[in-house]
């Protein structure tokens, strides 16, 4: 007697159910996790860009006491914050080392998998004009 294999016997309900119950949810999880991770990486890149821009502006200032830092910094950097948030700065303080510009930028990410994760970056440079400042910015 010949043994005939049909499509129905070769690919039965067990394989279909395994595909629907295991493979497709796993693919959905992996894809959404990758998208959330990608958005975290993009936000981290934007924070580093903001810190770089802020340090460049502060390095170029002759007298940091006379400058209106919030107006100067928010005017040129505010539209870089992730997801349409706005940038606000703390009161500038003296940096721990003379002639140093210390910039910290923070943002809280709320995604499907990485919830309430604080992303932050810090940049320290030396001032061209021997200024001494430490400032913290938050995108919120």
């Amino acid at each position: 007697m010949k043994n005939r294999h049909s499509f129905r016997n070769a690919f039965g309900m067990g394989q279909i159910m395994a595909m629907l119950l295991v493979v497709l949810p796993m693919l959905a999880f992996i894809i959404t996790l990758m998208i959330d991770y990608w958005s975290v990486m993009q936000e981290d890149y934007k924070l580093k860009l903001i810190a770089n821009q802020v340090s460049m502006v502060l390095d170029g200032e002759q007298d940091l006491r006379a400058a209106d830092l919030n107006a100067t910094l928010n005017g040129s950097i505010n539209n870089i914050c992730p997801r349409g948030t706005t940038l606000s700065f703390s009161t500038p303080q003296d940096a721990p080392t003379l002639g140093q510009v210390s910039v910290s930028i923070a943002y809280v990410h709320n995604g499907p998998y990485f919830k309430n994760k604080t992303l932050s970056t810090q940049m320290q440079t030396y001032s061209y004009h021997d200024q001494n400042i430490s400032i913290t910015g938050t995108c919120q």
Side-chain angles (χ1 to χ4, degrees), residues 57-86:
V57 169
L58 294 177
D59 284 343
E61 290 290 327
Q62 295 271 347
D63 187 11
L64 293 173
R65 292 178 299 235
D68 184 11
L69 292 179
N70 281 328
T72 303
L73 296 175
N74 282 333
S76 61
I77 301 167
N78 199 21
N79 58 354
I80 303 175
C81 271
R83 298 190 183 199
T85 56
T86 57

Side-chain angles (χ1 to χ4, degrees), residues 30-48 80-85 107-120:
I30 290 171
I31 290 171
T32 54
L33 181 67
M34 286 175 42
I35 290 171
D36 197 27
Y37 182 74
W38 177 257
S39 66
V40 167
M41 291 296 103
Q42 291 297 313
E43 292 161 359
D44 183 57
Y45 167 75
K46 288 182 179 184
L47 293 181
K48 288 181 183 357
I80 303 175
C81 271
R83 298 190 183 199
T85 56
Y107 173 73
V108 176
H109 174 78
N110 285 317
Y113 293 106
F114 304 110
K115 296 181 188 217
N116 296 325
K117 298 296 180 190
T118 302
L119 304 173
S120 63

Side-chain angles (χ1 to χ4, degrees), residues 70 74 78 81 86-90 104-105 135-140:
N70 281 328
N74 282 333
N78 199 21
C81 271
T86 57
L87 185 60
S88 61
F89 290 100
S90 67
S104 297
I105 308 293
I135 193 165
T136 302
T138 306
C139 290
Q140 47 184 330

